[in-house]
Amino acid sequence: MKGIWNFSAGPAVLPRSVLREAAAEMENYRGWGMSVMEMSHRSEAFGEIIGQAEQDLRALMHIPQNYHVLFLQGGATGQFAAVPMNFMKNRRADYIITGFWSERAYTQAQRYGDVRVVATSADRDHSYIPDCTDLPISRQADYVYICENDTAHGTQFFHLPETKGKPLVADLSSCLLSAPVETEKYAMLFAGTQKNAGIAGLTIAVVREDMMENGGLPETPGTMQYQNIAKNRSMFQTPPTYPIYICGKVLQWIRRQGGLEEMKRQNRKKAALLYDYLDESRLFHPLVEPPYRSMVNVTFTTGVPQTNTQLASLAEKEGFIGLKGHRAVGGLRASLYNAMPYEGVERLVDLLHRFEKSSV
Ligand SMILES: *Cc1c(COP(=O)(O)O)cnc(C)c1O
């Protein structure tokens, strides 16, 4: 098999060992005589899989006892509607817009109430994170919303906003498990697992108990009502069993690697290698201002769309996949999730360097 380096933003690269284990267990999972895909979600074997996954997530993220872990369908996009439906008691919320994904969440939330933008980076093409130390938070806001790492623009919050006592809700889809997290600072966080935690079809939500006590807006469907899902231990409907199984393997892999501190150390080192090159390059330049650069989604450009396309197609020929920028942003993007080895980034820098030399 020809080796490839997969820099896609998601679905994305998985640890090789996770794929090998899944392949070995495909037809006969640990002597149960069938695949995980064929098992009842209420079986003893699957009960252990989902229980262990929750336990490993709790251990890695230091999730306090008064938080529920929910395994959901519907993607992160589903949460863009589920969040207001569950939390908008006063039908008021404050959103911080830092790119494509918070914009999308904001658009969905507007269907359920009076939603205000309390900060935005739109004035400079979302190339930075606005100062969030003294925001005009509404007195009646039910929550304050951020997308912590904008996968499309390549920005990341390294300091959480000051929410003046209001609950913080955050989309962590692309940065979940990439570094340690202070879970107790969030009222709720969620992430689709196809970026850094597994495969498509599963969304993880971590919700503080008091946030779901009132059950949400009356029109909230049972499949999206956090209180209902928590009460049913993520089995109100059939949960996405195979994605939970794969996510469980990724969590085990991270624990064996040394946990989130170790993930952060590796991710920092990979990101530094690429950003250092881009900062010195005369052909490429990063799209994001230095203090706000994502550790996992590196966005850059030559400034010339045609040259970007040339690079992306040369890269593909050499086995580098997924370097085209997000359709809403353009340019180029390399996603350096946990499962991307340092060597992959070294090879990428070598490719960019050769391209640069040949084009000047
Ligand atoms: C990918 C992504 C989403 C959308 O996920 P879906 O599973 O397609 O709904 C939302 N937010 C962020 C930050 C993402 O990276």
Side-chain angles (χ1 to χ4, degrees):
M1 197 175 88
K2 182 173 154 242
I4 63 143
W5 298 106
N6 182 359
F7 292 94
S8 298
V13 60
L14 287 163
R16 297 296 92 184
S17 65
V18 166
L19 294 177
R20 278 195 298 271
E21 282 173 32
E25 292 172 345
M26 178 64 81
E27 282 190 67
N28 183 359
Y29 176 72
R30 299 189 184 174
W32 289 91
M34 61 182 132
S35 148
V36 171
M37 286 179 269
E38 300 168 292
M39 280 176 186
S40 164
H41 57 294
R42 303 198 188 274
S43 64
E44 183 188 333
F46 187 74
E48 277 173 24
I49 290 170
I50 193 169
Q52 188 66 47
E54 175 168 346
Q55 207 178 305
D56 287 333
L57 187 75
R58 283 185 176 278
L60 283 167
M61 295 177 66
H62 302 291
I63 299 174
Q65 277 309 314
N66 62 329
Y67 284 68
H68 289 268
V69 173
L70 311 180
F71 295 97
L72 309 167
Q73 304 200 22
T77 306
Q79 303 317 301
F80 296 169
V83 161
M85 283 189 145
N86 279 275
F87 300 147
M88 268 194 186
K89 286 196 292 276
N90 304 317
R91 301 238 180 202
R92 283 285 283 274
D94 288 348
Y95 276 61
I96 298 172
I97 307 291
T98 52
F100 182 82
W101 290 111
S102 37
E103 185 74 47
R104 278 215 150 176
Y106 168 67
T107 304
Q108 288 288 308
Q110 280 174 310
R111 304 164 70 173
Y112 305 100
D114 178 7
V115 185
R116 306 195 172 185
V117 177
V118 290
T120 173
S121 50
D123 59 337
R124 296 208 298 275
D125 291 332
H126 300 303
S127 61
Y128 72 107
I129 298 287
D131 178 8
C132 295
T133 52
D134 186 19
L135 298 172
I137 304 286
S138 317
R139 205 170 320 139
Q140 286 166 293
D142 292 312
Y143 60 89
V144 177
Y145 183 98
I146 61 167
C147 173
E148 189 155 320
N149 182 86
D150 189 89
T151 322
H153 286 88
T155 51
Q156 187 166 2
F157 279 85
F158 293 106
H159 305 282
L160 293 177
E162 176 45 66
T163 62
K164 304 188 176 170
K166 298 297 181 192
L168 176 67
V169 174
D171 176 359
L172 267 66
S173 290
S174 40
C175 58
L176 186 82
L177 305 173
S178 66
V181 56
E182 291 177 279
T183 307
E184 67 282 358
K185 296 208 167 153
Y186 305 81
M188 185 230 187
L189 60 87
F190 65 90
T193 56
Q194 75 271 28
K195 310 288 163 67
N196 202 29
I199 59 176
L202 168 64
T203 306
I204 289 176
V206 178
V207 194
R208 205 174 62 211
E209 191 145 57
D210 64 286
M211 289 296 288
M212 47 194 193
E213 269 160 9
N214 80 345
L217 303 181
E219 63 264 36
T220 311
T223 55
M224 291 183 125
Q225 193 189 27
Y226 299 143
Q227 184 192 51
N228 181 40
I229 297 161
K231 211 181 289 168
N232 286 282
R233 304 197 59 90
S234 299
M235 303 240 183
F236 175 65
Q237 65 179 150
T238 314
T241 52
Y242 202 75
I244 291 169
Y245 161 76
I246 295 292
C247 177
K249 289 205 174 297
V250 171
L251 294 166
Q252 288 264 315
W253 175 79
I254 294 173
R255 292 194 80 172
R256 286 198 302 274
Q257 297 269 304
L260 300 186
E261 283 292 348
E262 174 60 18
M263 289 299 106
K264 181 181 178 180
R265 191 190 65 79
Q266 293 181 17
N267 289 330
R268 244 201 198 148
K269 198 171 147 210
K270 288 182 285 178
L273 178 65
L274 183 50
Y275 283 122
D276 285 350
Y277 164 72
L278 294 170
D279 277 333
E280 280 173 24
S281 168
R282 289 165 62 188
L283 181 65
F284 299 103
H285 58 268
L287 292 178
V288 175
E289 299 169 23
Y292 318 106
R293 290 176 178 171
S294 168
M295 286 207 301
V296 281
N297 306 107
V298 178
T299 53
F300 57 104
T301 183
T302 61
V304 181
Q306 206 186 332
T307 313
N308 292 338
T309 308
Q310 269 170 7
L311 181 272
S313 42
L314 168 74
E316 201 131 321
K317 263 186 230 131
E318 294 201 17
F320 298 84
I321 305 298
L323 291 173
K324 200 165 168 279
H326 187 272
R327 64 201 146 81
V329 179
L332 297 156
R333 170 178 58 180
S335 296
L336 315 179
Y337 297 127
N338 291 349
M340 172 56 66
Y342 186 76
E343 187 194 345
V345 189
E346 286 181 314
R347 298 286 188 89
L348 174 63
V349 168
D350 175 65
L351 168 86
L352 297 176
H353 190 69
R354 280 187 282 121
F355 185 80
E356 178 173 355
K357 275 209 310 214
S358 71
S359 65
V360 290

